[in-house]
Amino acid sequence: MKVGKSIPALLALCLVLPRVLGAEKPPRVRLPGEFARLGYRQIELQRTGEKHLYVVGKLNGRRRSVLVDTGWSFTTISTNAARKLSVAVAVGTNAHPTVLITDLKLGSASFTNQPARVEHMVFDGQPASFDVVLGCDFLQRSFALVDCLNRRLYTRGRAPSEVEQSQLEAALSADGFVAIPLNVKQPLAITCPARVNGQPVEMLVDTGAVWSVIDVRQLDRLGLRALPTLAKISGAGKTGTRAVAMAEVKSLSVGDLLVTDVNVAVIDLSDWGFAAPGKGLSEIQGILGGVELLANGALIDCGGLKLWMKRSSRKK
């Protein structure tokens, strides 16, 4: 995850917690034809072992690995990839200069004049395995739908009309999806309302995080007990690698969806720019991560600001 220029990076969780939400997968959606009819372009994605969604595309004609990350605020290019851009117009001179990507090809879709930050992306002292991160800014500009289960990214060149948006939502509802409203925060972050053990928690919707996470300050309020694990968490830059605790959640509600017996990671989210009292984004006290998004067949409407999820088939 990454929010604003002061947040170190997305979560890269190295080991798997003992039990996670929704081991069974809901039925695969059958909506690509409807999306195409409504003017969406389909981009096939791949998934890493850490549940990250990515696509191998072309940046100004050069083959590049492109991460799709709803928890990353601003589209970013690695310094190495930026140096090799054939055409780049610098529009910023601060610590994070901005360039315009003149040509980005993802599958059959092409994007032009896309602003992006340039950063030296390092995780635990090693260069990032991706060259470009498509963040919330790109996803909102492209009115993107991120299909977590089926590994697809859908984009449009313009905002859907009210009729088209209604048709999209009707198709999703008919296919068994439940809508959960999303909120946009500044610095740019997309969040959803949730309840942990009956208590309200605002959670970042983050396809770049492997697990769901609760801030360590919330343990008492939520009635959680943190237990040590051998798992490690790595962040970009100076964040480094550290041990992560886990806690068993009796119930997690995301909108109207209720699940039980969930394990979450427990860390100090202030290291990633959240949850620190008196600072920006202090209201974000948790993260809804890739395991939960995958298990419940999540489809994230970044333009319409709704999270669509299916009820897991896992027995309560």
Side-chain angles (χ1 to χ4, degrees):
M1 60 184 173
K2 182 161 185 166
V3 178
K5 61 185 179 182
S6 62
I7 308 301
L10 78 161
L11 295 178
L13 300 178
C14 306
L15 299 177
V16 179
L17 290 175
R19 186 173 71 234
V20 295
L21 164 64
E24 295 84 3
K25 296 179 182 178
R28 296 175 69 85
V29 296
R30 296 181 175 86
L31 293 170
E34 183 69 13
F35 294 160
R37 188 185 69 79
L38 293 172
Y40 286 93
R41 298 169 294 184
Q42 178 178 303
I43 300 166
E44 295 289 339
L45 303 177
Q46 300 181 61
R47 182 181 289 118
T48 70
E50 291 77 30
K51 306 293 189 297
H52 300 152
L53 296 172
Y54 75 98
V55 58
V56 177
K58 287 189 176 180
L59 175 64
N60 287 14
R62 291 178 177 268
R63 184 180 172 90
R64 298 296 184 190
S65 178
V66 180
L67 184 73
V68 178
D69 190 347
T70 61
W72 197 294
S73 287
F74 304 109
T75 296
T76 303
I77 306 176
S78 69
T79 52
N80 180 58
R83 280 195 295 268
K84 297 178 181 178
L85 288 176
S86 57
V87 178
V89 180
V91 294
T93 57
N94 55 21
H96 300 289
T98 303
V99 299
L100 292 179
I101 299 174
T102 57
D103 183 26
L104 176 64
K105 287 187 170 61
L106 305 175
S108 61
S110 295
F111 304 89
T112 59
N113 297 325
Q114 296 293 321
R117 288 185 172 182
V118 178
E119 293 187 22
H120 182 47
M121 294 190 288
V122 176
F123 290 83
D124 194 23
Q126 301 297 320
S129 59
F130 43 85
D131 304 297
V132 181
V133 181
L134 299 181
C136 282
D137 59 334
F138 175 90
L139 297 173
Q140 288 199 296
R141 280 196 307 272
S142 303
F143 311 100
L145 306 175
V146 183
D147 184 346
C148 299
L149 176 61
N150 298 297
R151 305 189 308 275
R152 294 180 182 130
L153 173 65
Y154 297 92
T155 64
R156 286 175 55 101
R158 57 180 176 81
S161 66
E162 289 186 13
V163 171
E164 290 170 331
Q165 186 67 26
S166 295
Q167 290 175 340
L168 169 68
E169 296 185 4
L172 290 168
S173 296
D175 204 53
F177 283 90
V178 176
I180 299 155
L182 296 175
N183 301 308
V184 176
K185 305 293 182 179
Q186 295 297 329
L188 191 55
I190 295 177
T191 67
C192 69
R195 299 186 77 86
V196 174
N197 290 349
Q199 298 299 314
V201 178
E202 189 159 10
M203 305 186 83
L204 181 76
V205 178
D206 191 356
T207 59
V210 180
W211 302 323
S212 288
V213 178
I214 291 296
D215 180 64
V216 67
R217 299 170 189 79
Q218 304 305 312
L219 291 177
D220 290 343
R221 180 175 76 89
L222 302 177
L224 299 176
R225 179 188 177 194
L227 300 173
T229 75
L230 297 176
K232 301 290 184 181
I233 182 172
S234 298
K238 298 180 180 179
T239 305
T241 299
R242 70 201 64 186
V244 58
M246 60 79 65
E248 182 177 344
V249 175
K250 293 180 180 178
S251 68
L252 167 65
S253 297
V254 183
D256 291 333
L257 291 177
L258 173 65
V259 294
T260 58
D261 298 325
V262 177
N263 282 346
V264 295
V266 178
I267 62 173
D268 185 345
L269 280 176
S270 65
D271 291 341
W272 279 265
F274 308 115
K279 295 187 178 181
L281 298 178
S282 61
E283 68 273 27
I284 299 177
Q285 298 168 335
I287 296 171
L288 186 66
V291 168
E292 283 70 24
L293 294 171
L294 175 60
N296 289 273
L299 191 145
I300 306 166
D301 183 354
C302 300
L305 290 179
K306 288 186 178 178
L307 170 63
W308 296 85
M309 298 178 74
K310 286 191 172 184
R311 300 183 189 277
S312 172
S313 61
R314 178 186 179 190
K315 294 181 180 180
K316 304 295 189 290

